[in-house]
Amino acid sequence: MTTPLTLTPGRRPDGTPRLVVGGEIDMSNVASLAEALDGGSGPLVLDLTAVEYLDSAGLSVLFGHAERLELIVTPLLEPVLTVSGLSGLVTVHGLDDDAPQP
Protein backbone atom coordinates (compact mmCIF):
# COMPACT_ATOMS: atom_id res chain seq x y z
CA MET A 1 0.00 0.00 0.00
CA THR A 2 1.32 3.41 -0.97
CA THR A 3 1.64 6.06 1.70
CA PRO A 4 -0.02 9.40 0.78
CA LEU A 5 2.40 11.95 -0.66
CA THR A 6 1.63 15.28 -2.31
CA LEU A 7 3.96 17.14 -4.64
CA THR A 8 3.02 20.70 -5.56
CA PRO A 9 5.34 22.51 -7.98
CA GLY A 10 5.63 26.28 -8.09
CA ARG A 11 8.09 29.15 -8.03
CA ARG A 12 9.41 31.52 -5.40
CA PRO A 13 8.95 35.25 -6.01
CA ASP A 14 12.51 35.38 -7.40
CA GLY A 15 11.62 32.73 -10.00
CA THR A 16 13.49 29.82 -8.39
CA PRO A 17 11.59 26.55 -8.85
CA ARG A 18 9.96 25.30 -5.65
CA LEU A 19 8.45 21.92 -4.85
CA VAL A 20 6.19 21.62 -1.81
CA VAL A 21 6.09 18.08 -0.45
CA GLY A 22 3.49 16.84 2.04
CA GLY A 23 2.75 13.60 3.82
CA GLU A 24 5.24 10.80 4.32
CA ILE A 25 8.25 10.04 2.16
CA ASP A 26 9.01 6.34 2.29
CA MET A 27 9.84 3.33 0.16
CA SER A 28 6.24 3.02 -1.06
CA ASN A 29 6.15 6.43 -2.77
CA VAL A 30 9.72 7.63 -3.18
CA ALA A 31 9.59 6.98 -6.93
CA SER A 32 7.17 9.91 -7.28
CA LEU A 33 9.58 12.24 -5.50
CA ALA A 34 12.52 10.93 -7.54
CA GLU A 35 10.62 11.53 -10.77
CA ALA A 36 9.77 15.09 -9.73
CA LEU A 37 13.40 15.84 -8.84
CA ASP A 38 14.77 14.14 -11.96
CA GLY A 39 12.47 16.24 -14.12
CA GLY A 40 14.46 19.44 -13.67
CA SER A 41 17.91 20.88 -13.44
CA GLY A 42 19.41 23.86 -11.67
CA PRO A 43 18.59 25.11 -8.19
CA LEU A 44 15.42 23.85 -6.51
CA VAL A 45 13.82 24.86 -3.24
CA LEU A 46 12.29 21.78 -1.64
CA ASP A 47 9.70 22.71 0.99
CA LEU A 48 9.39 19.78 3.40
CA THR A 49 7.46 21.63 6.11
CA ALA A 50 4.41 19.39 5.57
CA VAL A 51 6.43 16.15 5.65
CA GLU A 52 5.61 14.02 8.68
CA TYR A 53 8.05 11.18 8.03
CA LEU A 54 11.22 10.67 5.97
CA ASP A 55 12.90 7.28 5.72
CA SER A 56 16.20 6.13 4.21
CA ALA A 57 14.68 5.70 0.75
CA GLY A 58 13.66 9.36 0.78
CA LEU A 59 17.07 10.41 2.07
CA SER A 60 18.73 8.49 -0.74
CA VAL A 61 16.77 10.48 -3.32
CA LEU A 62 17.61 13.77 -1.59
CA PHE A 63 21.32 12.89 -1.45
CA GLY A 64 21.22 12.23 -5.19
CA HIS A 65 20.17 15.84 -5.79
CA ALA A 66 22.01 17.52 -2.89
CA GLU A 67 24.11 19.77 -5.13
CA ARG A 68 21.01 21.62 -6.35
CA LEU A 69 18.68 21.55 -3.35
CA GLU A 70 17.77 24.13 -0.75
CA LEU A 71 15.53 22.63 1.95
CA ILE A 72 12.84 24.24 4.07
CA VAL A 73 11.97 22.02 7.02
CA THR A 74 10.49 21.92 10.49
CA PRO A 75 12.45 20.78 13.56
CA LEU A 76 10.75 17.37 13.22
CA LEU A 77 13.19 16.47 10.44
CA GLU A 78 16.28 17.82 12.20
CA PRO A 79 17.47 14.49 13.67
CA VAL A 80 17.30 12.58 10.40
CA LEU A 81 18.95 15.39 8.42
CA THR A 82 21.71 15.78 11.00
CA VAL A 83 22.46 12.09 11.59
CA SER A 84 22.45 11.34 7.86
CA GLY A 85 24.80 14.25 7.15
CA LEU A 86 22.46 15.80 4.59
CA SER A 87 22.22 19.04 6.59
CA GLY A 88 25.96 19.47 6.04
CA LEU A 89 25.61 19.22 2.25
CA VAL A 90 22.60 21.43 1.53
CA THR A 91 21.29 24.76 2.73
CA VAL A 92 18.58 24.05 5.29
CA HIS A 93 16.12 26.68 6.50
CA GLY A 94 13.94 26.11 9.53
CA LEU A 95 16.36 24.44 11.93
CA ASP A 96 18.19 27.44 13.35
CA ASP A 97 16.56 30.17 11.27
CA ASP A 98 13.86 32.46 12.64
CA ALA A 99 11.62 31.73 9.65
CA PRO A 100 11.90 29.60 6.51
CA GLN A 101 11.96 31.42 3.18
CA PRO A 102 8.83 31.01 1.02
Side-chain angles (χ1 to χ4, degrees):
M1 178 176 195
T2 303
T3 306
L5 178 69
T6 60
L7 302 170
T8 308
R11 294 201 175 269
R12 289 192 339 183
D14 68 1
T16 304
R18 179 180 182 200
L19 182 63
V20 178
V21 183
E24 297 183 6
I25 304 171
D26 62 24
M27 189 171 76
S28 73
N29 60 27
V30 74
S32 297
L33 177 61
E35 184 178 323
L37 295 178
D38 290 342
S41 62
L44 174 68
V45 175
L46 194 61
D47 184 336
L48 302 175
T49 56
V51 170
E52 301 162 358
Y53 177 78
L54 175 63
D55 76 1
S56 60
L59 282 171
S60 179
V61 168
L62 297 179
F63 269 102
H65 295 273
E67 74 283 349
R68 63 185 283 249
L69 294 179
E70 181 177 337
L71 304 179
I72 302 173
V73 302
T74 63
L76 175 70
L77 295 180
E78 181 176 8
V80 72
L81 296 177
T82 301
V83 170
S84 70
L86 188 60
S87 62
L89 297 176
V90 301
T91 299
V92 181
H93 300 282
L95 297 180
D96 296 323
D97 297 340
D98 290 333
Q101 301 297 312

